[in-house]
Amino acid sequence: MTTVVLKQATILDKSSSFHNQKVDIKIENGTIVAISSKIETKDTDEVVEINGLHVSQGWMDSSVSFGEPGYEDRETIVNGLNVAAKSGFTTVALQPNAAPIIDNQALVKFVLNKASNNAVSLYPIGALTKESEGTDLAELFDMKNARAIAFGDYQKSMSNANLFKIALQYVQDFDGLVIGFSQDSNIKGKGIVNEGIVSTKLGLKGIPTLAEELQIARNLFLLEYTGGKLHIPTISTQKSIELIKEAKAKGLQVTCSVAVHNLVLNDEVLTGFDSRYKVLPPLRDEATRLALIEAVKNGVIDCITSDHNPIDIEHKKLEFDLAKDGTIGLESAFGALQTVLPTEVIVEKLTAAKSIFNVNNPNIEIGNQADLSLFTTNEDWTFTKENILSKSKNSAFLGQNMKGKAIGIMNNGQLIINN
């Protein structure tokens, strides 16, 4: 029998009777058996005693890419889950952008099998269309039965409005969730960064905010027509916020996320033409960044994702316009967010994806399963290459100031600490 005791941990969990209390927490075989001001420990117990330790319900990242199968040189599922654990995440939703694309029951089962018996719970997102090509719907019902939690084509917009409408209608038969990445590829054209003053100065082709907003407006019109549930990932413009706010006011079942890098960085970092900052949607201007932070605080934006996307050096360290979009983000997510948001808001937005994706979220009470994120909130530090745990090193946060640290997780009966 494994016993873990967390000493003098401040609980941040508004749904718990121990919220904001500094206590000892005793966990036996993955279940919380005692919470009190002082718990005696035995020599055989695993004791976690860290200055300034905080504990919350386990965080979920609603968008991670691990590469496997097919791109194991970028990341493997086992190492990716280890990165997630040491970054404070107990649960991740895995994007289907592997090779082959995760668009059928067999591949959903393959990634689940790779992730079995892990401290981190992995939930696959099935591709919405076959091979994520946007022409035919994938085997959605079969993938749902194989335990896919939602359906979307990673960083690809559905240009066929009728197919998107059919998808929204079809998944209602089994209470499915459609993920609609929003960027009109015709309006994006050859754009690679946010269209604005910085893109003009640098001579880089711009992506107008309109490319995102038109697609969101269209998808929300379709949702209003069909009913059902839609999740809009990684929104990045002020008008997108307004459109989603209006849709929620109408009672539509729509949720949305924002990526950590869009909350922390703006397009002024592009002046050195460093391809680590090439992401999709692109980094926007400072006014938009501040508007996104405000939308997180006032609840229009439901959850925050790292949008973790490992890319090998051959595809990332290139001329800016040739480099692939994406940054790793798990390792830096919490420390970076702490520089722009209050801790309680961060915890709320990192756990909120569980209700969106219908994932169990036990609160911190005696008798409940221990699904816990461990972290500190105060120390100031700088994110360097030594802090990268992923196989790929494409982090937009190198050199960024951080505040507080993710310590690890207690989940599925396993304690993982980032030493």
Side-chain angles (χ1 to χ4, degrees):
M1 187 165 78
T2 52
T3 301
V4 174
V5 180
L6 310 177
K7 300 293 284 182
Q8 293 306 288
T10 302
I11 292 178
L12 291 185
D13 176 3
K14 286 179 180 168
S15 62
S16 165
S17 54
F18 298 98
H19 178 53
N20 262 337
Q21 293 182 34
K22 196 174 188 178
V23 290
D24 291 359
I25 305 169
K26 186 175 185 178
I27 300 148
E28 285 180 359
N29 291 340
T31 301
I32 299 170
V33 294
I35 302 174
S36 72
S37 55
K38 192 170 189 328
I39 292 172
E40 296 299 325
T41 58
K42 299 178 190 155
D43 294 343
T44 52
D45 295 346
E46 272 193 86
V47 179
V48 180
E49 199 158 4
I50 292 166
N51 204 16
L53 180 64
H54 285 64
V55 175
S56 74
Q57 289 171 290
W59 307 337
M60 176 174 177
D61 195 330
S62 59
S63 174
V64 302
S65 304
F66 287 154
E68 191 175 4
Y71 300 120
E72 286 86 353
D73 53 331
R74 295 179 188 175
E75 189 57 281
T76 62
I77 287 171
V78 169
N79 190 62
L81 292 174
N82 180 50
V83 175
K86 291 182 174 178
S87 305
F89 291 89
T90 64
T91 310
V92 295
L94 179 71
Q95 291 288 358
N97 56 330
I101 297 281
I102 299 166
D103 65 357
N104 62 58
Q105 192 174 21
L107 285 164
V108 170
K109 286 178 175 172
F110 170 82
V111 295
L112 282 170
N113 189 43
K114 283 277 179 183
S116 61
N117 303 319
N118 202 287
V120 177
S121 305
L122 179 143
Y123 292 89
I125 295 168
L128 185 60
T129 61
K130 285 182 182 168
E131 296 179 12
S132 287
E133 286 177 349
T135 42
D136 300 294
L137 288 185
E139 301 165 9
L140 307 184
F141 184 61
D142 282 355
M143 287 193 286
K144 169 81 173 179
N145 286 341
R147 300 208 339 254
I149 52 164
F151 309 99
D153 296 328
Y154 183 61
Q155 292 196 337
K156 290 185 177 180
S157 262
M158 177 93 74
S159 58
N160 183 336
N162 190 51
L163 194 61
F164 199 76
K165 177 193 76 141
I166 291 166
L168 283 167
Q169 289 171 322
Y170 176 62
V171 299
Q172 289 176 57
D173 289 346
F174 49 87
D175 195 29
L177 175 66
V178 170
I179 298 174
F181 179 75
S182 301
Q183 186 170 66
D184 185 305
S185 51
N186 293 318
I187 287 184
K188 174 186 182 256
K190 292 190 171 136
I192 50 175
V193 297
N194 179 50
E195 182 182 83
I197 294 167
V198 172
S199 65
T200 309
K201 272 186 191 167
L202 299 178
L204 294 170
K205 286 193 171 72
I207 303 173
T209 59
L210 182 67
E212 176 172 307
E213 294 149 6
L214 262 184
Q215 198 77 4
I216 285 180
R218 184 205 78 174
N219 289 348
L220 289 172
F221 266 116
L222 291 170
L223 180 69
E224 191 169 4
Y225 178 80
T226 59
K229 291 189 295 188
L230 173 65
H231 179 68
I232 304 174
T234 58
I235 68 167
S236 72
T237 84
Q238 297 189 52
K239 182 72 176 168
S240 299
I241 296 167
E242 290 308 310
L243 288 165
I244 291 164
K245 187 178 178 181
E246 287 165 18
K248 286 183 169 188
K250 283 182 187 171
L252 300 186
Q253 286 192 79
V254 61
T255 54
C256 65
S257 71
V258 64
V260 176
H261 41 266
N262 288 100
L263 293 173
V264 177
L265 304 170
N266 64 27
D267 60 1
E268 283 162 30
V269 298
L270 300 171
T271 49
F273 295 95
D274 191 328
S275 61
R276 289 184 298 113
Y277 299 117
K278 190 179 183 215
V279 290
L280 202 68
L283 299 174
R284 303 289 186 186
D285 59 21
E286 179 64 4
T288 304
R289 185 184 78 83
L290 295 173
L292 289 166
I293 287 173
E294 193 50 43
V296 167
K297 288 178 178 172
N298 65 28
V300 177
I301 293 176
D302 300 276
C303 63
I304 298 172
T305 173
S306 72
D307 203 21
H308 180 81
N309 190 3
I311 295 164
D312 53 278
I313 196 164
E314 288 82 5
H315 289 93
K316 194 62 177 173
K317 207 158 188 182
L318 298 168
E319 292 86 351
F320 199 92
D321 57 336
L322 298 176
K324 276 193 175 293
D325 298 301
T327 174
I328 55 173
L330 284 166
E331 301 97 313
S332 47
F334 180 73
L337 287 171
Q338 283 261 116
T339 64
V340 295
L341 285 166
T343 306
E344 285 205 3
V345 174
I346 297 166
V347 167
E348 183 190 323
K349 297 300 176 183
L350 289 180
T351 51
K354 287 182 171 174
S355 62
I356 296 169
F357 290 90
N358 206 13
V359 171
N360 187 32
N361 188 25
N363 61 355
I364 304 174
E365 297 284 0
I366 296 162
N368 282 355
Q369 179 199 343
D371 177 352
L372 308 172
S373 295
L374 283 52
F375 54 96
T376 61
T377 58
N378 284 332
E379 66 266 45
D380 296 303
W381 56 290
T382 303
F383 191 79
T384 65
K385 276 196 170 142
E386 285 67 56
N387 302 114
I388 293 178
L389 307 168
S390 302
K391 281 180 80 173
S392 296
K393 310 301 177 191
N394 56 309
S395 172
F397 291 95
L398 285 174
Q400 279 294 122
N401 293 329
M402 302 267 153
K403 190 169 189 242
K405 281 188 175 176
I407 301 296
I409 63 167
M410 178 75 215
N411 188 42
N412 295 336
Q414 299 175 55
L415 175 71
I416 307 281
I417 298 289
N418 186 8
N419 293 325

